Amino acid sequence: MSHALTPFPRRVAASAPVLPAVAVLALLALPLTPGGAGPADVVSGLMVVYCVIRLLRERRRPLSRTAAVVLGLPVVGLALAAMGTSSPQAGLAGLGRYLQIFVLVPAAVLLLVRDRTGFRVLAWSFVGLALCQGAVGVHQYLTRTGASYQGEDIRAVGTFGPQDVMGMATVVSLGLVCAVGIALGRTSARQRAVAAGCALALLAPLAVSFSRGAWIATALTCTVQLVTAGLRRALKVAAAAAAAGVILMGGFGVGTALLQQRVNSIAQVTHAPDQSVVDRYTLWASATGIWRQHPLTGVGLKGFPQYRDGHATLALSSGAEIAGAGAAYRRQPLLSPHNMYLLVLSEQGLVGLLGLAGSWLALLVCGLRRLLHDRDRGPGPDCALVACGLLVWLLTDFVYGDIGGPSTVLTAMGLGLVAWWALAAEERGDVLPKGGMRERAEEAVAR
């Protein structure tokens, strides 16, 4: 009897270290007040402090040399950009935000995740958060209590409100990517079935978020995951997704004229684009112009708004319209180029872009290398598919968006999972020869 009960306590003990990270995600499901740091940001900072205290008490090396180099690459560019800003207060605030999102929180998640069990607990937490926010978003769409979109309060924004219209779309997309990765892995049949059901359920809130960037990033990422998992499985899942899409678009009335118009507008970004696309192109051109005048170190952190108008054309509108979901009508100023790469290039120059993009590229290369090494070995590639999927989604979405708002901490959490898979999985003994004792033990626990 005692031997039969050992897997459950072992699984609980393996999940305990990641509970602080789970708490950060859980707080993102709560209603948020606009402005300032949200509770998830505060707890993510406490999570970093907790990791530092544990390292001091255990007196062990915090990170491997490779992990320290990869995660520390952005620091030089960030420090130079913080010193070059015209406002020291804004520079310090921007430095703290960038370090939180791209260095400190990912490193903390890397240290908290001890094995694949902890990784899966955190991946399922992404899925759970996406289901919660997605349910709120679908309710907003059906009851017309969401953010304003073309005169109707139908845009699903979850608890993030109209001031962060990309918040729910980001949460749902990353949860869907995690669910697809788990469904395509070699975990238990029950986990795969539940994950596949969650992925299908998340299609509806993603659709009614009206976020073209999230649609493109999710479609591309899921395609990469499917192809990586195998052609036969990819065809089966693609057929199931197509059937679900037909049901959602036709049977449940998701395919409204506004949604179809939004889908069609993806192909019209160069021919008769709407004002949001015009604003984005104008902001991109402004960021490029700023970089050309300050190519090496940029204009400093949080310096884009100050230099924007000097390089923007008259096509740029005064701001985005914000209304609905409990908020009064107002115009929100466009303070970033809505492109992470151009934002870094304009504010941090080539030095900053090489640091951040070099870190992301290193994570991608290491993650893909481990995926190929682990595909036919160990308990299964679900962790690899989730980690690489999260990174592909973020790198794609950065073409259409940048950091900002309460949902930004989710980017840091996702990068933490990517960092664990890319930099710590092999070091901690998770990549094992096929047929080993640990492999059979983990397969038994998974079942």
Side-chain angles (χ1 to χ4, degrees):
M1 179 67 68
S2 61
H3 291 288
L5 294 177
T6 52
F8 181 73
R10 187 185 307 166
R11 192 180 305 179
V12 173
S15 305
V18 301
L19 292 182
V22 173
V24 174
L25 296 178
L27 289 173
L28 285 172
L30 301 177
L32 301 171
T33 55
D41 289 298
V42 175
V43 175
S44 70
L46 295 176
M47 180 179 69
V48 173
V49 175
Y50 168 74
C51 285
V52 172
I53 294 174
R54 285 194 60 176
L55 291 173
L56 293 176
R57 291 184 60 184
E58 296 174 2
R59 297 182 179 180
R60 63 186 179 91
R61 186 178 64 180
L63 297 172
S64 68
R65 189 173 302 172
T66 302
V69 171
V70 171
L71 293 179
L73 277 176
V75 174
V76 174
L78 290 173
L80 290 175
M83 291 186 296
T85 185
S86 58
S87 170
Q89 183 177 0
L92 287 176
L95 178 63
R97 187 61 163 167
Y98 272 95
L99 289 177
Q100 174 202 10
I101 301 304
F102 297 113
V103 181
L104 297 178
V105 173
V109 174
L110 186 155
L111 293 170
L112 291 174
V113 177
R114 298 298 180 89
D115 53 23
R116 293 174 189 262
T117 301
F119 184 102
R120 288 170 181 143
V121 168
L122 205 50
W124 276 111
S125 299
F126 271 81
V127 178
L129 173 63
L131 290 172
C132 292
Q133 289 286 356
V136 175
V138 171
H139 179 266
Q140 290 172 333
Y141 173 79
L142 294 176
T143 59
R144 296 179 178 272
T145 56
S148 177
Y149 177 75
Q150 295 195 9
E152 299 185 52
D153 295 341
I154 59 173
R155 186 167 191 173
V157 292
T159 63
F160 294 99
Q163 64 277 354
D164 187 11
V165 293
M166 287 296 298
M168 191 213 73
T170 300
V171 169
V172 170
S173 299
L174 294 181
L176 195 153
V177 168
C178 289
V180 170
I182 296 171
L184 294 175
R186 286 194 292 272
T187 56
S188 64
R190 182 175 61 181
Q191 282 197 56
R192 293 199 304 270
V194 172
C198 292
L200 293 176
L202 290 172
L203 291 176
L206 180 61
V208 296
S209 70
F210 292 94
S211 174
R212 292 172 294 199
W215 293 346
I216 295 172
T218 304
L220 176 62
T221 301
C222 291
T223 301
V224 172
Q225 289 177 305
L226 289 170
V227 172
T228 305
L231 184 58
R232 182 181 301 178
R233 187 175 296 181
L235 293 175
K236 291 181 181 179
V237 176
V246 171
I247 294 174
L248 287 172
M249 297 292 288
F252 293 104
V254 176
T256 62
L258 287 177
L259 183 58
Q260 293 175 357
Q261 179 184 355
R262 190 68 165 177
V263 173
N264 294 335
S265 69
I266 296 176
Q268 299 174 350
V269 293
T270 57
H271 176 67
D274 56 33
Q275 184 59 46
S276 65
V277 176
V278 173
D279 286 340
R280 186 158 301 183
Y281 285 163
T282 306
L283 290 169
W284 289 2
S286 179
T288 304
I290 293 172
W291 168 69
R292 286 173 179 167
Q293 288 192 353
H294 306 82
L296 194 59
T297 57
V299 295
L301 297 180
K302 294 186 175 293
F304 177 81
Q306 179 181 352
Y307 289 83
R308 180 200 65 184
D309 292 341
H311 298 82
T313 65
L314 295 177
L316 182 65
S317 64
S318 59
E321 296 181 342
I322 300 297
Y329 174 84
R330 64 185 179 89
R331 295 191 69 85
Q332 181 170 282
L334 303 173
L335 302 179
S336 74
H338 294 284
N339 181 303
M340 190 65 201
Y341 305 104
L342 292 178
L343 176 64
V344 173
L345 197 63
S346 61
E347 292 188 344
Q348 303 177 41
L350 285 175
V351 175
L353 183 63
L354 289 175
L356 274 169
S359 177
W360 301 335
L361 181 61
L363 289 174
L364 182 62
V365 171
C366 292
L368 291 176
R369 182 174 62 87
R370 295 259 167 86
L371 185 152
L372 296 175
H373 184 273
D374 191 58
R375 187 161 50 182
D376 298 322
R377 309 165 73 114
D382 55 307
C383 297
L385 292 173
V386 169
C388 294
L390 289 173
L391 185 57
V392 170
W393 191 93
L394 290 172
L395 295 181
T396 305
D397 185 69
F398 282 163
V399 177
Y400 309 98
D402 46 49
I403 60 173
S407 61
T408 302
V409 72
L410 198 67
T411 300
M413 302 298 292
L415 287 174
L417 285 181
V418 174
W420 180 85
W421 173 255
L423 304 173
E426 186 175 279
E427 179 183 335
R428 296 178 182 178
D430 283 308
V431 178
L432 301 171
K434 190 173 183 178
M437 292 292 292
R438 180 165 176 157
E439 176 193 347
R440 291 197 291 271
E442 288 201 21
E443 286 179 339
V445 171
R447 293 192 180 94

